[in-house]
Amino acid sequence: MPENDRATIYLLEDINDNRYIGSTSEKNINDRLNTHRRDEREHLLGIRHRNCSSMKLDLYHCNIIPLLECNNDSDTRKKWESYFMNYVYPESVNNKRFKTLDKKQYYKDNKERIKINNNKWREKNREKVNAKRREYYQKNKEKILKQKKELRLKNKNKVSNNNNENP
């Protein structure tokens, strides 16, 4: 669990009305603004090679405004950052915008990749999966056999009808 179990979604707004949405788990939100300023200095000095969208702002003439406090887990933070970026402040300078897909849409878009990964995992963990199946069967043997018997009786007519139809 992270050191701080709460996170803050914040807005950086400079004197030119440029806006940036971010999140932090730091207890003092002004520490996060100072980190943005340090990162920009290091980028300009060539120490830091990646840059952040917040560097499009005048970080020395801006305010940091807390928008929301939420749980400090990746999914919750992304969800709220995305909400503020896409719906409340769509004009924000953020380059990286999180897509908000529901689970069904995500599966539909990534079906083949998910199947491949699941098959790889099953192959890699075959012994463990089989051991769990055997354990489940031993614990629930009577119930499973009863269900199978009921299923056979239920489908007995269907099977005999199908055999009578075929010459």
Side-chain angles (χ1 to χ4, degrees):
M1 192 71 173
E3 284 182 32
N4 189 1
D5 61 344
R6 300 301 290 168
T8 303
I9 309 299
Y10 63 87
L11 169 72
L12 284 177
E13 188 171 32
D14 73 2
I15 57 174
N16 301 318
D17 286 332
N18 293 322
R19 294 180 176 94
Y20 170 84
I21 307 295
S23 67
T24 183
S25 60
E26 294 182 32
K27 292 188 188 254
N28 184 350
I29 198 165
N30 288 316
D31 290 344
R32 183 64 184 116
L33 177 56
N34 290 331
T35 303
H36 278 287
R37 290 174 179 159
R38 183 204 65 212
D39 291 346
E40 182 183 38
R41 274 193 314 271
E42 288 179 355
H43 180 72
L44 293 172
L45 293 171
I47 298 169
R48 180 183 169 95
H49 298 289
R50 291 181 351 150
N51 63 345
C52 176
S53 300
S54 68
M55 293 179 194
K56 296 175 183 176
L57 277 66
D58 182 352
L59 292 172
Y60 293 94
H61 299 97
C62 73
N63 293 320
I64 188 165
I65 303 161
L67 298 173
L68 175 80
E69 191 173 300
C70 63
N71 288 332
N72 188 16
D73 64 81
S74 179
D75 291 339
T76 303
R77 286 171 71 161
K78 283 180 181 179
K79 179 182 85 170
W80 283 110
E81 280 184 68
S82 177
Y83 171 77
F84 281 104
M85 280 182 228
N86 296 325
Y87 301 108
V88 181
Y89 299 103
E91 74 284 358
S92 66
V93 298
N94 295 70
N95 288 339
K96 187 176 179 183
R97 295 181 182 258
F98 305 109
K99 293 182 180 176
T100 52
L101 294 176
D102 63 347
K103 288 182 181 180
K104 288 181 182 178
Q105 184 64 40
Y106 179 83
Y107 180 77
K108 185 178 174 184
D109 293 346
N110 298 288
K111 190 174 185 175
E112 287 303 314
R113 187 176 59 81
I114 291 170
K115 282 183 178 181
I116 290 168
N117 288 340
N118 286 346
N119 288 336
K120 284 180 185 176
W121 183 88
R122 256 192 307 281
E123 283 297 317
K124 186 178 177 184
N125 296 288
R126 182 175 291 232
E127 297 292 324
K128 191 162 77 171
V129 169
N130 288 339
K132 283 190 177 191
R133 284 182 178 164
R134 282 190 294 275
E135 182 183 332
Y136 178 83
Y137 180 80
Q138 291 303 317
K139 285 182 180 177
N140 300 288
K141 192 173 185 176
E142 292 175 14
K143 181 178 145 184
I144 293 169
L145 292 175
K146 183 180 174 184
Q147 287 175 341
K148 283 185 177 182
K149 184 177 181 181
E150 288 173 2
L151 190 62
R152 263 194 313 274
L153 291 173
K154 182 180 174 183
N155 293 319
K156 186 176 183 180
N157 293 335
K158 290 181 186 177
V159 172
S160 62
N161 287 342
N162 285 343
N163 287 339
N164 292 338
E165 290 175 9
N166 293 333

